[in-house]
Amino acid sequence: MADIIQLLPDHVANQIAAGEVVQRPASVVKELLENAIDAQATSIKLLIKEAGKTLVQVIDNGSGMSATDARLSFERHATSKIRSADDLFQLHTKGFRGEALASIAAIAHVELKTKQEDDEVGTNLIIEGSEIVSQEIVVTPKGTSIAVKNLFFNIPARRNFLKSNQVELRHIIDEFHRVTLAHPGIQFMMYHNGNELFNLPESNYRQRIVNIFGNKTNEKLVPVNEDTEVLKISGFVGKPEYAKKTRGEQFFFVNDRFIKNAYLNHAINSAFDGLLKDGTHASYFLNLTVDPQTIDINIHPTKTEIKFDDEHTLYAILRASVKHSLGQFNIAPVLDFDRDAQLDTPYNYKDKGVSTPQIEVDRDFNPFQEQNNFKEQRSSKQTTAFKKQTPSSWDSLYVGLESKGTQSQQEFMSVQFETEEKTASIFNDDKAVENSKSTYQLHNKYIVSTIKSGMLVLDQHRSHQRVLYEDFLQHITVKESVSQQLLFPIELHFSTQEIDIINQVKEDLEHTGFVFSNVTKERVEISGVPVSVPASEVSVVLEQLISDIENEVPDSHFSSADLLAKSMAKSLAVKTGQTLTVPEQEHLVNSLFGCKEPNMSPFNKTTFITLSVDELDKKFV
C-alpha cells in the first residue's frame, strides 16, 4: 500500500494551533499584553474596535525587535523565552511556546511596527493569513505596536461562533483585569471604539485594585501576608459582609501569572466557613510565590491551569493565612463571649513598650468645704417636699377608686364581648375551614392540588419564575408599571464596568418600576422600586442582573428585555424550602394557569405534572 501519513503544510498547522490558542478576541488580547510585559515595557496601551472583531492593537515602550527577529517571531515555535527543555521548569516569562504570533497571523491581518532603542529606524511588517505581504523600513518610536485586524477573516465558521459585542468585550475586560492586577508597577490604558475605559497609573497592589473596581473597594479589603519556605502569600481578601452571589472578583496569581484552581479556591471557602451567607462567594486578590521548579505550567494551551508538586501543603498554608488575617483584623468571631474587642491591644502595637500615664490632679480641691451648709439646705428641701405630698386624711386616698374600677371593668367586658361575637361570626365551624383547603405544600418545595381528573403537583420555584417573568415582560414591553417610592433612597456601589451595564438596561429597568435618582461612575441611588420587589432585595436583583448580562450567551434573536425579565424573575421567585400559607399556595396555582405558557419556566424547565386517578389506581394493583 502507498504511504498515507504526511506532514501538514505550515499554514494548516498554524490554523490548528490557532484553534487552541485563539478562541476569541480576548485570547489575542491576553497573548499580546503578555508579550509586551515580557519585553520589559513600562507603559502599555490597548486599543479595541467592535469588541476586537475589527481591531485589537497593543502599543508598548518595551525593548522592541530587530528586522530579523520581527520576521522570525511569526514562525512556529520561534521564541526568545527558552532555549532548552530544562528552561520549562525555570520560567520567569509569560510566554514560552512560540505559538501565539504564528497562530494569530494565520487567521487575521497583522501589522507590526517595532524598533529597538539603539536603532535609528524600525521595521514595518504586514502579514495576511500566514503570508508576508510586505516588509519595510519605518520611522516609529522605541517599542512595539502590533495591530490584529479582521479576526477569523479566512475561517467564517469560527467568526460566526463569536458572541455579541457586549459579551466579547466582557471577556476582553476580564483578561485585561487579570494582566493588570498581576503587574501593578506597569501603566495600562484601554480604549474601546475611541472611548477610554481604563487609565491605570503605576501604583501599589491595593491602589491598583481600587483603580479597577472603584473607590468603595478600599474599605472591603483585608490584607493577607505570609512568608514560609514553601510559599509566600501577599494580597487581600474581601470582608464577609461584602460577599457577592457571583464569582467575579476572585483572582489567584502564581508567580505573577493568573491561574484557576478549584482546590485552592476551596481553601479560601473553608477559611470563610461560617462567615458567609448561603449562595455568596468571598472576593480575594492573592499573589502566591513558589519555586518555579515545583510547578508545571505547560499542561494547558491557555496556561491558566498549573500542576503543583505538593498541593496539600499549599492548601493548609493558604487556609491558615486567610483565617489568621480574618482573626487579626477582628473579622472572624471568637468563642470568648465575655471578651470586649475594644480592650484588645491592636496588632501593630503588640511590640511597643509601656509608659506610665500622666495624671493631672487639682490639689486645691476640698470635698469637705461648706459641708454643713449643704446638709442643712438638703434636709430643709426634703422636709418641705414631704409636707407637700402628705394628704390631710388617709381615707381620701381611696376616694373614687371604686367607681373608676367598676367603670373600667365594664368597658373591658364590653370590648371582650364584642370581640367574641365577631370571632364567632367568622369562624362558626372549624371543619368548614379545613374542608375549604384545596392545596397542600409538600417538603416546602412542591404544591399539591386536586383537579377533576386526579392530582396536580407544582414546583413552587419554577412556577413563580414563570408568573414573575410574564409579569415583568409585560411591564417592560407595554411600558406601564407601578413604582413604590422609598422614604429613604437606597445607595449602592458598583465598579465602572457594572455601572456601564446598568446604564445599558436603565430604560428597561425604569419600565419595570425602578426609579434612579442619581447614577455616577461608581454609585447608584434608587428612590423607587417595583411593587413586587422588596427594598432589601434590590441589591440582590441588580447583582444577579449584572451577572446574567456578563455571562449570557445570546443568539441572533437576543432581547435585553427578555434577559432582564428572566433575571429579575430568577432573583425574586419563591425559593425551595420557603413555607407558603394556603392563600399564597392558591394564588400561585391560579396565577400560573393565568400565564400564556404555564407548562415551562422561563428557562425551559417543567413547572408542573399531573397524576390521573387511573395512574394512582395502577400503583395499588
Side-chain angles (χ1 to χ4, degrees), residues 127 141 149 166 179 260 307 345 353 421 424 435 485 490 494 528:
I127 301 176
K149 306 173 185 177
Q166 187 176 1
V179 174
K260 296 177 182 178
K307 188 171 183 178
T345 303
E421 188 177 33
N435 292 335
Q485 299 300 306
I490 299 175
F494 296 100

Side-chain angles (χ1 to χ4, degrees), residues 35 53 67 88 109 149 165 183 218 236 248 251 300 382 494 534 541 603 607:
N35 282 343
K53 298 175 183 176
L88 289 173
H109 297 162
K149 306 173 185 177
N165 286 355
H183 301 276
N218 191 32
F236 302 91
F251 296 90
H300 194 273
Q382 289 179 349
F494 296 100
V541 170
F603 305 97
T607 56

Side-chain angles (χ1 to χ4, degrees), residues 339-351:
R339 167 181 164 272
D340 187 356
Q342 302 296 329
L343 300 180
D344 287 351
T345 303
Y347 194 79
N348 296 332
Y349 290 83
K350 65 183 181 64
D351 296 327

